[in-house]
Amino acid sequence: MSSKQRVFKYLGIVGNVVFYLLLLMLLLFSISNLTVRTEKDLPNIFGKGFVSILSGSMEGEEKDNFDTGSLVFIDILSDSQKQNLEVGQIIVFYDNVQRIHIIHRIKTITGDTVVTQGDVNARMYGSFDGTNFDPNMQLEASSLDDVIGRYTGHWSGVGSAIQEIRTPNGLVFYVILPLFILFTFEAVILIRYILRRNKEKLELKYALEKEALRLELEKELLEKHSNKK
């Protein structure tokens, strides 16, 4: 195998890996977005959702703190699971006033009302415990019905990329265009393979015909030689 052939072989392998990864990502996005029926819903697959973080209200040094631009993973909660929420857990809920999703830490649970607070605000003005209210505390009181899911982990820096990909321009430039380029590359590789195989078949056919012709000529020469005798 020549160096040029090895390069094309390795490029083909890399292209296949990237191509199928992009296809898988596009498939996962499509499936997850099928679960979004209202503005309150979040994309999820089999109850596993994700949220791109757009603010720094949960930044800090704790293991479950995350920065702006992180991708946070959540478990979508059923009504019965919401009853088992505990103070200190991080949840995603829908704010009906601001019409946005908020992800903050639970401070108190009273009946069906959950009070949450961002960790940055808690460090600045004190962590709310139900008795130490301060006007500077940015607290959110929401119903259990508005709770969507519970934090399970995060991936720093990925949320910004996911958020960009989910925009129309991002989908075109980061998914559709690379897929088109890779598809074109795969098509070129396939065409080259087909042409090479056809060439090999033609060369084999030519060699067989040449050999058959040689044998036929030898046979004729032998027959002529026999007739002379």
Side-chain angles (χ1 to χ4, degrees):
M1 182 183 293
S2 67
S3 59
K4 186 176 181 180
Q5 288 176 325
R6 281 197 295 269
V7 169
F8 271 100
K9 179 181 178 181
Y10 295 143
L11 285 176
I13 294 173
V14 173
N16 281 330
V17 171
V18 175
F19 179 75
Y20 288 113
L21 283 176
L22 284 172
L23 277 182
L24 177 62
M25 183 175 66
L26 189 60
L27 177 62
L28 291 177
F29 271 124
S30 300
I31 294 174
S32 66
N33 284 323
L34 289 176
T35 62
V36 179
R37 296 181 176 84
T38 68
E39 62 181 12
K40 182 178 178 179
D41 297 327
L42 286 174
N44 70 90
I45 301 176
F46 305 120
K48 303 295 182 180
F50 54 89
V51 180
S52 298
I53 303 304
L54 305 178
S55 74
S57 62
M58 289 298 293
E59 293 179 354
E61 301 300 325
E62 298 298 326
K63 186 178 180 180
D64 57 0
N65 284 141
F66 40 84
D67 300 331
T68 303
S70 296
L71 184 69
V72 168
F73 302 103
I74 62 172
D75 282 340
I76 304 298
L77 300 178
S78 64
D79 290 339
S80 60
Q81 290 173 321
K82 294 176 185 180
Q83 300 296 327
N84 297 322
L85 287 173
E86 300 176 356
V87 171
Q89 292 179 326
I90 299 174
I91 60 170
V92 179
F93 62 93
Y94 183 73
D95 188 310
N96 290 288
V97 177
Q98 301 183 68
R99 304 178 76 85
I100 59 173
H101 292 95
I102 297 176
I103 178 166
H104 280 165
R105 195 180 301 276
I106 298 175
K107 294 301 177 179
T108 64
I109 302 176
T110 306
D112 288 339
T113 302
V114 181
V115 175
T116 56
Q117 183 182 19
D119 282 9
V120 172
N121 183 264
R123 287 194 299 272
M124 292 178 64
Y125 302 107
S127 179
F128 182 67
D129 62 8
T131 61
N132 59 338
F133 176 75
D134 184 306
N136 292 312
M137 290 180 178
Q138 297 176 357
L139 306 176
E140 304 92 17
S142 59
S143 167
L144 283 177
D145 289 338
D146 294 322
V147 174
I148 309 297
R150 180 180 60 242
Y151 166 95
T152 58
H154 68 275
W155 193 354
S156 298
V158 179
S160 297
I162 297 296
Q163 194 69 17
E164 178 64 23
I165 290 173
R166 293 181 67 188
T167 65
N169 288 338
L171 183 64
V172 170
F173 286 109
Y174 297 112
V175 178
I176 296 178
L177 184 59
L179 280 175
F180 175 76
I181 294 173
L182 286 171
F183 179 79
T184 303
F185 178 77
E186 289 292 318
V188 171
I189 295 294
L190 179 61
I191 291 172
R192 287 173 61 89
Y193 173 77
I194 293 173
L195 291 176
R196 186 174 70 251
R197 290 290 296 172
N198 287 340
K199 181 181 177 182
E200 291 173 353
K201 288 180 180 179
L202 288 174
E203 289 176 346
L204 178 61
K205 181 181 178 182
Y206 174 74
L208 292 174
E209 290 177 349
K210 184 178 180 181
E211 180 65 16
L213 181 61
R214 185 184 67 80
L215 293 174
E216 186 176 346
L217 289 174
E218 286 183 354
K219 182 179 179 181
E220 290 179 359
L221 289 173
L222 288 173
E223 289 177 350
K224 288 180 180 179
H225 183 70
S226 299
N227 291 335
K228 286 181 179 180
K229 289 182 177 181

